Amino acid sequence: MEAVGRNDACPCGSGKKYKKCCLPNLQPTSDDLSWQRIHNMHLKLVRKLMEFTAKTYGATGYDEAWDEFNLWNNDESFDPESPLHPMFGPWMFYHWSPDPAETELSDDIPMKVTPAEAFIEEFGNRLEDLEIEDLEENLRRPFSFYDVLECNPGTWVKVQDLLTHEYFTVIEKMGSKSMKAGDLLFGKVVTVRDVSMFDGLAPIVFPPQYKITVIESQDEFKNKKGEITAESLREYDLELLEVFWELYEAVTNPQMPILTNTDGHLMIPHKMTFVIESIEDAFDALHELDFNDSEDELLAGAEFDKKGKLQSVEFPWLKKGNKQNKHWENTVLGHIRLEKNKLIVDVNSKERSKKFLAVLKKRIPKGWTLKSTIVEDLQSKLRDMKNRSHESIESDEDRETRELNERPEVKELLAKMNEGHWQTWPTTPLPALRGKTPVEAIKSRDGRAMVDALLTQFERSAEQKPMPGQTVETFQKLRDRLGL
């Protein structure tokens, strides 16, 4: 039977979407006593399987399985204290088998079968029916990625397999306390006597945005019919691990972002200092670069000596409009400061530094000399900012930034900019959506899931750190607008 999507028509025939009709009523079908019985059986069975695997395969088998589990990218031997052990154990028991062409295990060790299959072969006639069911279900079910739909902390969690689109209500006492709707999980769901449980669950919860990577990778998991089923996923154990490790590395060892300005230039801050002959002449020639303020308005904020001679003045270097953000009236290209016999210009890219030199040569053909250009290591600054974010003591720079952002006029400007950005967001082509706009992407099931993942991530960020014009309500309105 084809899986029913959250936004598909409910199979009950009500005419409503599945998520608005029968899905919310998907509840655990067993009582707590049944779960406890199966849970206790499972724990005892795992201990038996661990003892059998350790005795049969020894340290050599564990190291070979660990090596394969890490896709041969880890030179370390298996460590029972690894935080990934709870995930690795079930993977080894039910998904790994020694390769006779490469293993260093002795010839009397069962080859090309998993430890669980070898265990059944040896002890199957001594196992209870429930234990056999548990083993067979674990051997049948694949590892996969699960979207958390709803949580009842300490009791159960509703999930959807992002690849097969199956729905499960999983009895989960501990993990459900730290899960919330929108999370992405990796592991496997096994169902024994109508009781669904997690087994081999990764010890990390991925943020919503990583669902996009999973959705984009799904083509490589399809069978000959172009479908993804639990059976077909069993054939892609290593490919699934490859996606898992990609996400795991991204979360546990994030790389510094490559930042560009709105002109698409790599952001490399430049501070250029010029020696000038006359501050008055330089101001007369350059003040029009800030076309939002008149000459008198700029001078009103300037500093003068007792004789009324100009000592310092600063203003932005602007241009009309913005290529990336059509709703912006202007773009700030840099910041200009004049003080006595100096002209100091801050821009955020090499290209803008060259552009300012061209402007300067045109407006002031002579009477100045470039004294120095300081190129800032932005990556080091980002690392410093990241490290400082973990400190409890607020730096002077952080305090100044916070105080600036708390000014009513700055809040009003930020709100206007953010509101304009999110107003045009649904019709803006996004790299995360393969160049499509959200309006275009939601026309397909996968596209809707991707847009939903982005909005969920935005909502979480806004919940943690709301900004003027960018709150949880902002994204709820976007959901309504897009019909999500």
Side-chain angles (χ1 to χ4, degrees), residues 425 451-459 475 478-479 482 484:
W425 184 81
V451 175
D452 180 82
L454 286 176
L455 290 174
T456 302
Q457 189 67 53
F458 295 153
E459 286 166 344
F475 304 109
L478 276 176
R479 284 187 181 278
L482 293 168
L484 292 175

Side-chain angles (χ1 to χ4, degrees), residues 331-396:
T331 300
V332 178
L333 297 179
H335 186 81
I336 298 170
R337 179 174 175 80
L338 294 165
E339 50 183 44
K340 295 183 179 179
N341 66 333
K342 289 183 182 180
L343 163 61
I344 303 169
V345 180
D346 288 287
V347 293
N348 63 13
S349 71
K350 180 180 179 180
E351 290 80 2
R352 287 183 178 177
S353 71
K354 291 181 177 180
K355 185 172 183 177
F356 181 79
L357 279 172
V359 170
L360 187 61
K361 289 176 182 178
K362 183 178 180 180
R363 289 177 174 265
I364 310 178
K366 56 184 180 179
W368 57 268
T369 303
L370 178 59
K371 181 180 179 182
S372 66
T373 299
I374 299 175
V375 180
E376 188 175 356
D377 183 353
L378 190 58
Q379 297 298 313
S380 296
K381 186 171 184 179
L382 286 172
R383 283 192 291 270
D384 291 342
M385 291 173 64
K386 181 179 178 181
N387 293 335
R388 200 164 63 234
S389 68
H390 297 294
E391 298 175 0
S392 58
I393 300 175
E394 185 179 42
S395 69
D396 291 341

